[in-house]
Short mmCIF file of all heavy atoms in Angstrom, two decimals:
data_model
loop_
_atom_site.label_atom_id
_atom_site.label_comp_id
_atom_site.label_asym_id
_atom_site.label_seq_id
_atom_site.Cartn_x
_atom_site.Cartn_y
_atom_site.Cartn_z
N GLY A 25 118.57 135.88 94.55
CA GLY A 25 119.60 136.08 93.55
C GLY A 25 120.58 134.94 93.44
O GLY A 25 121.77 135.13 93.20
N GLY A 26 120.10 133.74 93.63
CA GLY A 26 120.96 132.57 93.47
C GLY A 26 121.58 132.09 94.77
O GLY A 26 122.20 131.04 94.81
N LYS A 27 121.43 132.87 95.83
CA LYS A 27 121.98 132.45 97.12
C LYS A 27 120.85 131.98 98.03
O LYS A 27 119.91 132.72 98.28
CB LYS A 27 122.72 133.61 97.78
CG LYS A 27 123.94 134.06 97.00
CD LYS A 27 124.64 135.20 97.71
CE LYS A 27 125.87 135.65 96.93
NZ LYS A 27 126.58 136.77 97.63
N VAL A 28 120.96 130.79 98.49
CA VAL A 28 119.92 130.20 99.34
C VAL A 28 120.39 130.27 100.79
O VAL A 28 121.41 129.69 101.14
CB VAL A 28 119.64 128.74 98.97
CG1 VAL A 28 118.55 128.16 99.85
CG2 VAL A 28 119.28 128.65 97.50
N PRO A 29 119.68 130.98 101.66
CA PRO A 29 120.10 131.05 103.06
C PRO A 29 119.98 129.70 103.74
O PRO A 29 119.04 128.95 103.52
CB PRO A 29 119.11 132.06 103.67
CG PRO A 29 117.92 132.00 102.78
CD PRO A 29 118.45 131.73 101.39
N MET A 30 120.98 129.40 104.58
CA MET A 30 121.00 128.17 105.37
C MET A 30 120.77 126.94 104.49
O MET A 30 119.97 126.08 104.77
CB MET A 30 119.93 128.22 106.48
CG MET A 30 120.16 129.34 107.48
SD MET A 30 118.97 129.29 108.84
CE MET A 30 117.44 129.52 107.97
N ALA A 31 121.50 126.91 103.38
CA ALA A 31 121.29 125.84 102.41
C ALA A 31 121.53 124.47 103.03
O ALA A 31 120.85 123.50 102.71
CB ALA A 31 122.22 126.03 101.21
N GLY A 32 122.50 124.40 103.94
CA GLY A 32 122.81 123.11 104.53
C GLY A 32 121.65 122.54 105.32
O GLY A 32 121.48 121.33 105.42
N GLN A 33 120.82 123.41 105.85
CA GLN A 33 119.69 122.93 106.63
C GLN A 33 118.55 122.42 105.76
O GLN A 33 117.59 121.86 106.27
CB GLN A 33 119.18 124.05 107.53
CG GLN A 33 120.21 124.48 108.56
CD GLN A 33 119.66 125.55 109.49
OE1 GLN A 33 118.46 125.76 109.56
NE2 GLN A 33 120.55 126.23 110.21
N LEU A 34 118.65 122.67 104.46
CA LEU A 34 117.59 122.22 103.57
C LEU A 34 117.76 120.78 103.13
O LEU A 34 116.86 120.20 102.55
CB LEU A 34 117.53 123.12 102.33
CG LEU A 34 117.06 124.55 102.58
CD1 LEU A 34 117.16 125.37 101.31
CD2 LEU A 34 115.63 124.58 103.10
N GLU A 35 118.94 120.22 103.37
CA GLU A 35 119.16 118.84 102.98
C GLU A 35 118.39 117.92 103.93
O GLU A 35 118.64 117.93 105.14
CB GLU A 35 120.64 118.49 103.00
CG GLU A 35 121.42 119.09 101.84
CD GLU A 35 120.89 118.60 100.51
OE1 GLU A 35 120.59 117.40 100.39
OE2 GLU A 35 120.75 119.42 99.58
N PRO A 36 117.45 117.13 103.43
CA PRO A 36 116.65 116.29 104.32
C PRO A 36 117.42 115.06 104.79
O PRO A 36 118.36 114.61 104.16
CB PRO A 36 115.49 115.87 103.41
CG PRO A 36 116.11 115.82 102.04
CD PRO A 36 117.09 116.97 102.01
N LYS A 37 116.97 114.55 105.92
CA LYS A 37 117.51 113.28 106.37
C LYS A 37 116.95 112.17 105.47
O LYS A 37 115.90 112.33 104.87
CB LYS A 37 117.10 113.02 107.82
CG LYS A 37 117.68 114.02 108.80
CD LYS A 37 117.23 113.71 110.21
CE LYS A 37 117.82 114.71 111.20
NZ LYS A 37 117.38 114.44 112.59
N PRO A 38 117.68 111.06 105.35
CA PRO A 38 117.15 109.96 104.52
C PRO A 38 115.74 109.57 104.95
O PRO A 38 115.47 109.41 106.14
CB PRO A 38 118.16 108.83 104.78
CG PRO A 38 119.41 109.53 105.20
CD PRO A 38 118.98 110.75 105.96
N GLN A 39 114.87 109.45 103.99
CA GLN A 39 113.48 109.15 104.27
C GLN A 39 113.19 107.67 104.07
O GLN A 39 113.63 107.08 103.08
CB GLN A 39 112.56 109.97 103.36
CG GLN A 39 112.67 111.47 103.56
CD GLN A 39 112.13 111.90 104.91
OE1 GLN A 39 111.02 111.52 105.29
NE2 GLN A 39 112.91 112.67 105.64
N LEU A 40 112.45 107.07 105.01
CA LEU A 40 112.03 105.70 104.85
C LEU A 40 110.81 105.64 103.94
O LEU A 40 109.96 106.53 103.95
CB LEU A 40 111.67 105.08 106.21
CG LEU A 40 112.80 104.96 107.24
CD1 LEU A 40 112.24 104.39 108.53
CD2 LEU A 40 113.93 104.09 106.72
N SER A 41 110.72 104.58 103.15
CA SER A 41 109.53 104.37 102.35
C SER A 41 108.38 103.97 103.27
O SER A 41 108.61 103.55 104.41
CB SER A 41 109.77 103.28 101.31
OG SER A 41 109.88 102.01 101.96
N PRO A 42 107.13 104.10 102.81
CA PRO A 42 106.00 103.64 103.65
C PRO A 42 106.15 102.20 104.10
O PRO A 42 105.81 101.86 105.23
CB PRO A 42 104.79 103.85 102.75
CG PRO A 42 105.19 104.96 101.83
CD PRO A 42 106.66 104.76 101.59
N GLU A 43 106.65 101.34 103.20
CA GLU A 43 106.84 99.93 103.60
C GLU A 43 107.90 99.82 104.68
O GLU A 43 107.71 99.09 105.67
CB GLU A 43 107.24 99.09 102.39
CG GLU A 43 107.47 97.63 102.73
CD GLU A 43 107.84 96.77 101.53
OE1 GLU A 43 107.07 96.77 100.55
OE2 GLU A 43 108.92 96.14 101.57
N GLN A 44 109.00 100.54 104.53
CA GLN A 44 110.06 100.48 105.54
C GLN A 44 109.57 101.01 106.89
O GLN A 44 109.92 100.47 107.94
CB GLN A 44 111.27 101.28 105.06
CG GLN A 44 112.01 100.64 103.90
CD GLN A 44 113.06 101.56 103.29
OE1 GLN A 44 112.91 102.80 103.31
NE2 GLN A 44 114.12 100.98 102.77
N GLU A 45 108.75 102.05 106.86
CA GLU A 45 108.20 102.59 108.10
C GLU A 45 107.30 101.55 108.79
O GLU A 45 107.37 101.36 110.01
CB GLU A 45 107.39 103.86 107.82
CG GLU A 45 108.24 105.06 107.43
CD GLU A 45 107.39 106.28 107.17
OE1 GLU A 45 106.14 106.15 107.16
OE2 GLU A 45 107.96 107.37 106.97
N ALA A 46 106.47 100.89 107.98
CA ALA A 46 105.56 99.90 108.55
C ALA A 46 106.33 98.72 109.13
O ALA A 46 106.00 98.22 110.23
CB ALA A 46 104.58 99.41 107.47
N VAL A 47 107.35 98.26 108.43
CA VAL A 47 108.15 97.14 108.92
C VAL A 47 108.93 97.55 110.17
O VAL A 47 109.07 96.76 111.11
CB VAL A 47 109.11 96.64 107.83
CG1 VAL A 47 110.05 95.58 108.38
CG2 VAL A 47 108.32 96.06 106.65
N ALA A 48 109.39 98.80 110.19
CA ALA A 48 110.12 99.27 111.37
C ALA A 48 109.22 99.26 112.60
O ALA A 48 109.68 98.93 113.71
CB ALA A 48 110.66 100.69 111.12
N GLU A 49 107.94 99.58 112.43
CA GLU A 49 107.01 99.55 113.56
C GLU A 49 106.84 98.11 114.07
O GLU A 49 106.79 97.89 115.28
CB GLU A 49 105.67 100.14 113.14
CG GLU A 49 105.73 101.64 112.87
CD GLU A 49 104.43 102.17 112.32
OE1 GLU A 49 103.41 101.43 112.32
OE2 GLU A 49 104.40 103.34 111.88
N VAL A 50 106.74 97.16 113.14
CA VAL A 50 106.63 95.76 113.57
C VAL A 50 107.92 95.31 114.24
O VAL A 50 107.90 94.58 115.25
CB VAL A 50 106.31 94.85 112.37
CG1 VAL A 50 106.24 93.39 112.81
CG2 VAL A 50 104.99 95.25 111.72
N SER A 51 109.06 95.76 113.71
CA SER A 51 110.35 95.41 114.31
C SER A 51 110.45 95.92 115.74
O SER A 51 110.93 95.20 116.63
CB SER A 51 111.48 96.02 113.46
OG SER A 51 112.74 95.79 114.07
N GLU A 52 109.96 97.14 115.98
CA GLU A 52 109.98 97.68 117.33
C GLU A 52 109.06 96.87 118.25
O GLU A 52 109.40 96.62 119.41
CB GLU A 52 109.54 99.15 117.30
CG GLU A 52 110.55 100.06 116.62
CD GLU A 52 110.01 101.46 116.41
OE1 GLU A 52 108.85 101.72 116.82
OE2 GLU A 52 110.73 102.30 115.83
N TRP A 53 107.92 96.46 117.71
CA TRP A 53 107.01 95.64 118.50
C TRP A 53 107.66 94.30 118.83
O TRP A 53 107.58 93.81 119.97
CB TRP A 53 105.70 95.41 117.72
CG TRP A 53 104.67 94.66 118.50
CD1 TRP A 53 103.72 95.17 119.33
CD2 TRP A 53 104.51 93.23 118.53
NE1 TRP A 53 102.96 94.15 119.89
CE2 TRP A 53 103.43 92.96 119.42
CE3 TRP A 53 105.16 92.16 117.92
CZ2 TRP A 53 103.00 91.67 119.68
CZ3 TRP A 53 104.73 90.87 118.19
CH2 TRP A 53 103.66 90.63 119.06
N ALA A 54 108.31 93.69 117.84
CA ALA A 54 108.98 92.40 118.07
C ALA A 54 110.09 92.53 119.11
O ALA A 54 110.29 91.62 119.93
CB ALA A 54 109.55 91.87 116.75
N ALA A 55 110.79 93.66 119.11
CA ALA A 55 111.86 93.86 120.08
C ALA A 55 111.32 93.92 121.50
O ALA A 55 112.02 93.55 122.45
CB ALA A 55 112.62 95.15 119.76
N ARG A 56 110.06 94.35 121.65
CA ARG A 56 109.45 94.40 122.97
C ARG A 56 108.91 93.04 123.41
O ARG A 56 108.52 92.87 124.57
CB ARG A 56 108.31 95.43 122.99
CG ARG A 56 108.76 96.85 122.73
CD ARG A 56 107.67 97.86 123.12
NE ARG A 56 106.44 97.67 122.36
CZ ARG A 56 106.18 98.25 121.20
NH1 ARG A 56 107.10 99.06 120.63
NH2 ARG A 56 105.03 98.05 120.58
N HIS A 57 108.90 92.08 122.47
CA HIS A 57 108.40 90.73 122.76
C HIS A 57 109.41 89.71 122.23
O HIS A 57 109.12 88.96 121.28
CB HIS A 57 107.02 90.52 122.13
CG HIS A 57 105.99 91.52 122.56
ND1 HIS A 57 105.86 92.75 121.97
CD2 HIS A 57 105.07 91.48 123.56
CE1 HIS A 57 104.89 93.42 122.57
NE2 HIS A 57 104.41 92.67 123.54
N PRO A 58 110.61 89.66 122.80
CA PRO A 58 111.68 88.84 122.24
C PRO A 58 111.42 87.35 122.27
O PRO A 58 112.11 86.60 121.56
CB PRO A 58 112.89 89.21 123.12
CG PRO A 58 112.28 89.69 124.41
CD PRO A 58 111.02 90.38 124.02
N SER A 59 110.44 86.89 123.05
CA SER A 59 110.17 85.45 123.09
C SER A 59 109.28 85.00 121.94
O SER A 59 109.13 83.79 121.72
CB SER A 59 109.51 85.07 124.43
OG SER A 59 108.23 85.70 124.55
N TYR A 60 108.69 85.92 121.21
CA TYR A 60 107.81 85.58 120.09
C TYR A 60 108.62 85.47 118.80
O TYR A 60 109.59 86.21 118.59
CB TYR A 60 106.74 86.65 119.88
CG TYR A 60 105.75 86.82 121.00
CD1 TYR A 60 104.87 87.90 121.02
CD2 TYR A 60 105.68 85.92 122.06
CE1 TYR A 60 103.95 88.09 122.04
CE2 TYR A 60 104.76 86.08 123.09
CZ TYR A 60 103.91 87.18 123.08
OH TYR A 60 103.00 87.35 124.09
N GLY A 61 108.20 84.56 117.94
CA GLY A 61 108.73 84.53 116.58
C GLY A 61 107.82 85.37 115.69
O GLY A 61 106.60 85.19 115.70
N VAL A 62 108.38 86.29 114.94
CA VAL A 62 107.59 87.23 114.14
C VAL A 62 108.04 87.15 112.68
O VAL A 62 109.23 87.23 112.38
CB VAL A 62 107.73 88.67 114.66
CG1 VAL A 62 106.91 89.64 113.82
CG2 VAL A 62 107.31 88.75 116.12
N ARG A 63 107.08 86.97 111.79
CA ARG A 63 107.35 86.92 110.36
C ARG A 63 106.49 87.99 109.68
O ARG A 63 105.28 88.05 109.91
CB ARG A 63 107.02 85.54 109.78
CG ARG A 63 107.80 84.41 110.42
CD ARG A 63 107.33 83.04 109.97
NE ARG A 63 107.57 82.80 108.56
CZ ARG A 63 108.73 82.37 108.07
NH1 ARG A 63 109.75 82.13 108.88
NH2 ARG A 63 108.87 82.15 106.77
N VAL A 64 107.12 88.83 108.88
CA VAL A 64 106.44 89.95 108.24
C VAL A 64 106.39 89.73 106.74
O VAL A 64 107.42 89.44 106.11
CB VAL A 64 107.14 91.29 108.54
CG1 VAL A 64 106.30 92.46 108.03
CG2 VAL A 64 107.41 91.44 110.03
N TYR A 65 105.19 89.86 106.18
CA TYR A 65 104.98 89.65 104.75
C TYR A 65 104.36 90.92 104.14
O TYR A 65 103.54 91.59 104.77
CB TYR A 65 104.01 88.49 104.50
CG TYR A 65 104.44 87.17 105.08
CD1 TYR A 65 104.25 86.88 106.42
CD2 TYR A 65 105.03 86.19 104.27
CE1 TYR A 65 104.62 85.67 106.97
CE2 TYR A 65 105.40 84.97 104.81
CZ TYR A 65 105.21 84.71 106.15
OH TYR A 65 105.57 83.49 106.68
N ARG A 66 104.74 91.21 102.91
CA ARG A 66 104.08 92.27 102.16
C ARG A 66 102.90 91.63 101.41
O ARG A 66 103.04 90.57 100.80
CB ARG A 66 105.05 92.90 101.15
CG ARG A 66 104.40 93.92 100.20
CD ARG A 66 103.96 95.17 100.94
NE ARG A 66 103.15 96.03 100.07
CZ ARG A 66 103.64 97.05 99.36
NH1 ARG A 66 104.94 97.32 99.40
NH2 ARG A 66 102.85 97.80 98.62
N THR A 67 101.75 92.26 101.48
CA THR A 67 100.58 91.81 100.73
C THR A 67 100.19 92.90 99.74
O THR A 67 100.76 93.98 99.72
CB THR A 67 99.39 91.53 101.67
OG1 THR A 67 98.97 92.76 102.28
CG2 THR A 67 99.76 90.53 102.75
N PHE A 68 99.19 92.62 98.92
CA PHE A 68 98.72 93.60 97.95
C PHE A 68 98.24 94.87 98.65
O PHE A 68 98.43 95.98 98.14
CB PHE A 68 97.59 92.99 97.13
CG PHE A 68 97.10 93.87 96.01
CD1 PHE A 68 97.66 93.78 94.74
CD2 PHE A 68 96.07 94.78 96.22
CE1 PHE A 68 97.21 94.59 93.72
CE2 PHE A 68 95.61 95.59 95.20
CZ PHE A 68 96.18 95.49 93.94
N ALA A 69 97.61 94.72 99.82
CA ALA A 69 96.99 95.85 100.50
C ALA A 69 97.72 96.30 101.76
O ALA A 69 97.23 97.16 102.48
CB ALA A 69 95.54 95.51 100.86
N GLY A 70 98.89 95.74 102.05
CA GLY A 70 99.59 96.15 103.26
C GLY A 70 100.57 95.10 103.74
O GLY A 70 101.41 94.62 102.98
#
């Protein structure tokens, strides 16, 4: 009847795009290897 239970819990956390998720994974890998220089590029397929 127009009342949504626990409405506040339905608000999602900010979602990363697939590209942001992929770059974040590389960023985490780079953080584990601080002596390496890492350059990340977007390509047509990934």
